[in-house]
Each structure stands twice: as structure tokens, then as C-alpha cells.
């Protein structure tokens, strides 16, 4: 849902995800908020669309604020926590509710490409990742400037998910219910990545939650670039 919207309205996507994040981070810092949590996306890794690129810049903004506070270059106080999500099952626009509606209507189930894969997490996992990332004591681990990532296991091929949901409904794929391939949408990738190849991983005290250490961007250069937006 966000990817095609961002491709159609790139300026609004940047205004929301980049400028909006910057304003909110600055407001949190000025008013002494305990913690700000940015919800990012696996689309921010090697982005190919406005959604992913703008979310990566949002990550960089929060990373720069967090590092500045931890290194004494800004007043200590607000923690800037970033969590990076895969696809949340059951969320608005999620493929599972879409398949359920299409099944109820007698099909077909629509998949963009036969080989498209995605990482999935449950709503409970998404909520727990946010709460645990925000609650982990900063003194307990060096989390400054890093991104919290849920270990989501292997990605799921959407075609296989469609076939499985048809079978669970007691029907036969491509006989009782057709699966139709509609083509990738603008900006959409065949597969997503939770981590960039240059992001080192660190364990945390919580099972299943990892820390990614993204590339550090000079804050001065980042601020100068943002002024041009």
C-alpha cells in the first residue's frame, strides 16, 4: 500500500517520512521525552522505491540524534530507538486478509510475481519488538545508533502462501481457485532484505531480537542535505 502511494506522490512521502521524522525527533529532544521509537521497514535496506529510501533517511536522522546524545555532543536525555519491521500479518493492506477476501469471493487470488518473497511477523511480535526495544536499559548494552530487528527466520514465497491458504480452505489450487500473477508494482522488489551487507549484527538480552549496526553518516552532512529538501 505505501510503496505505490509513495511512487505516485514522492514529495508527500519525503515530507512525511523525512521531514516529519526530523521535526518529531527535534521536538522530543527539546522537550525531554524519555524515548522516541521510529518504526522502519525492511524496504529501507538497499531501497528501490520512495518508501524505502525515505525510511532509510528517517533511520539516519534518528541514528544521528541518538549518537549525538551518547557522545556528549547534545544534551543527554531522549533515547532514539529504531525498529525495523517485515510485513505484519493481519495489518491493513497485508496479503493474508486480501487472500481471505478473495477466497470468500471465489477467487482468483492475485500474486504480483511467481518468485516474490517477503518476511513476516505477527502483530504480537511487532508490538513486543517495539516495547522491548524501548524498554531495554541503555546501560545494559551499547545500543546507541543501532537498529532493533526481529529474527523472522526465512522469507516466505507469496505464491506458496496463496496455495496453502487455498488448501486450508479445503480447495484445490488452480482447479477450484485460480492464482493469477499480476506483475510487480512500480518500485516493488522481488525480495526484501532485513539487513544490509555492511550492517554488523549484535545479540541482545532478549531472545529473537538483534541489533543491526548501520553505516554511520556524518551529522553535519546529513543536516546540510536536509536543508535542501
Amino acid at each position: 500500500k505505501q510503496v505505490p502511494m509513495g511512487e505516485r506522490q514522492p514529495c508527500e512521502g519525503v515530507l512525511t517520512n523525512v521531514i516529519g521524522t526530523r521535526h518529531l525527533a527535534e521536538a522530543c529532544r527539546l522537550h525531554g521525552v524519555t524515548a522516541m521509537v521510529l518504526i522502519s521497514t525492511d524496504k529501507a535496506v538497499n531501497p528501490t522505491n520512495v518508501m524505502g529510501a525515505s525510511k532509510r533517511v528517517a533511520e539516519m536522522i534518528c541514528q544521528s540524534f541518538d549518537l549525538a546524545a551518547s557522545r556528549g555532543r547534545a544534551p543527554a536525555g531522549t533515547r532514539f530507538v529504531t525498529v525495523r519491521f517485515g510485513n505484519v500479518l493481519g495489518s491493513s493492506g497485508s496479503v493474508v486478509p486480501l487472500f481471505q477476501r478473495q477466497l470468500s469471493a471465489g477467487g482468483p487470488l492475485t500474486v504480483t510475481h511467481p518468485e516474490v518473497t517477503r518476511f513476516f511477523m505477527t502483530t504480537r511480535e511487532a508490538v513486543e519488538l517495539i516495547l522491548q526495544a524501548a524498554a531495554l536499559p541503555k546501560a545494559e548494552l551499547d545500543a546507541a545508533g543501532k537498529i532493533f530487528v526481529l529474527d523472522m527466520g526465512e522469507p516466505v514465497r507469496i505464491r506458496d502462501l496463496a496455495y496453502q491458504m487455498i488448501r486450508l480452505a479445503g480447495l484445490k489450487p488452480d482447479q477450484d481457485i485460480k492464482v493469477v500473477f499480476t506483475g510487480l508494482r512500480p518500485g516493488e522488489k522481488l525480495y526484501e532484505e532485513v539487513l544490509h551487507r555492511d550492517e554488523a549484527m549484535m545479540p541482545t538480552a532478549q531472545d529473537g531480537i538483534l541489533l543491526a549496526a548501520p553505516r554511520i553518516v556524518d551529522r553535519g552532512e546529513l543536516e546540510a542535505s536536509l536543508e535542501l529538501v
Side-chain angles (χ1 to χ4, degrees), residues 89-108:
L89 289 167
S91 64
S92 175
S94 171
V95 69
V96 173
L98 172 63
F99 285 168
Q100 289 173 331
R101 291 194 299 270
Q102 291 174 337
L103 271 171
S104 298

Side-chain angles (χ1 to χ4, degrees), residues 6-68:
E7 296 303 296
R8 290 194 299 267
Q9 301 288 343
C11 292
E12 292 299 319
V14 171
L15 179 64
T16 300
N17 290 338
V18 176
I19 305 304
T21 298
R22 184 191 186 193
H23 288 336
L24 187 58
E26 183 65 28
C28 288
R29 185 186 66 80
L30 288 174
H31 294 283
V33 172
T34 302
M36 170 182 162
V37 180
L38 170 71
I39 298 178
S40 189
T41 168
D42 51 10
K43 294 172 178 60
V45 181
N46 292 319
T48 60
N49 49 57
V50 173
M51 164 72 171
S54 59
K55 279 290 193 176
R56 176 59 192 132
V57 178
E59 289 182 354
M60 292 159 59
I61 291 169
C62 288
Q63 179 189 28
S64 69
F65 272 83
D66 205 36
L67 286 171

Side-chain angles (χ1 to χ4, degrees), residues 5-199:
M5 287 175 63
E7 296 303 296
R8 290 194 299 267
Q9 301 288 343
C11 292
E12 292 299 319
V14 171
L15 179 64
T16 300
N17 290 338
V18 176
I19 305 304
T21 298
R22 184 191 186 193
H23 288 336
L24 187 58
E26 183 65 28
C28 288
R29 185 186 66 80
L30 288 174
H31 294 283
V33 172
T34 302
M36 170 182 162
V37 180
L38 170 71
I39 298 178
S40 189
T41 168
D42 51 10
K43 294 172 178 60
V45 181
N46 292 319
T48 60
N49 49 57
V50 173
M51 164 72 171
S54 59
K55 279 290 193 176
R56 176 59 192 132
V57 178
E59 289 182 354
M60 292 159 59
I61 291 169
C62 288
Q63 179 189 28
S64 69
F65 272 83
D66 205 36
L67 286 171
S70 69
R71 294 172 178 176
R73 297 175 184 172
T78 305
R79 290 182 61 218
F80 294 90
V81 180
T82 299
V83 295
R84 191 181 282 166
F85 277 11
N87 291 266
V88 180
L89 289 167
S91 64
S92 175
S94 171
V95 69
V96 173
L98 172 63
F99 285 168
Q100 289 173 331
R101 291 194 299 270
Q102 291 174 337
L103 271 171
S104 298
L109 269 61
T110 55
V111 179
T112 56
H113 189 281
E115 299 303 320
V116 69
T117 64
R118 292 292 182 264
F119 287 97
F120 285 98
M121 59 200 302
T122 65
T123 303
R124 180 185 179 91
E125 288 174 328
V127 172
E128 288 182 349
L129 177 60
I130 294 171
L131 295 177
Q132 291 176 353
L136 279 175
K138 195 166 185 179
E140 187 174 305
L141 81 116
D142 181 19
K146 297 180 177 62
I147 296 173
F148 289 86
V149 180
L150 179 72
D151 183 358
M152 291 177 283
E154 295 299 316
V156 175
R157 189 162 62 174
I158 303 302
R159 179 181 64 177
D160 294 344
L161 178 61
Y163 287 163
Q164 182 66 10
M165 288 187 65
I166 293 171
R167 294 189 189 98
L168 288 173
L171 302 169
K172 295 180 180 179
D174 294 326
Q175 293 184 31
D176 300 319
I177 299 287
K178 297 289 186 182
V179 174
V180 176
F181 300 104
T182 59
L184 293 174
R185 297 174 297 178
E188 193 172 31
K189 294 197 290 187
L190 272 180
Y191 61 92
E192 303 288 2
E193 304 160 273
V194 178
L195 300 169
H196 189 274
R197 64 178 180 274
D198 294 330
E199 290 179 342

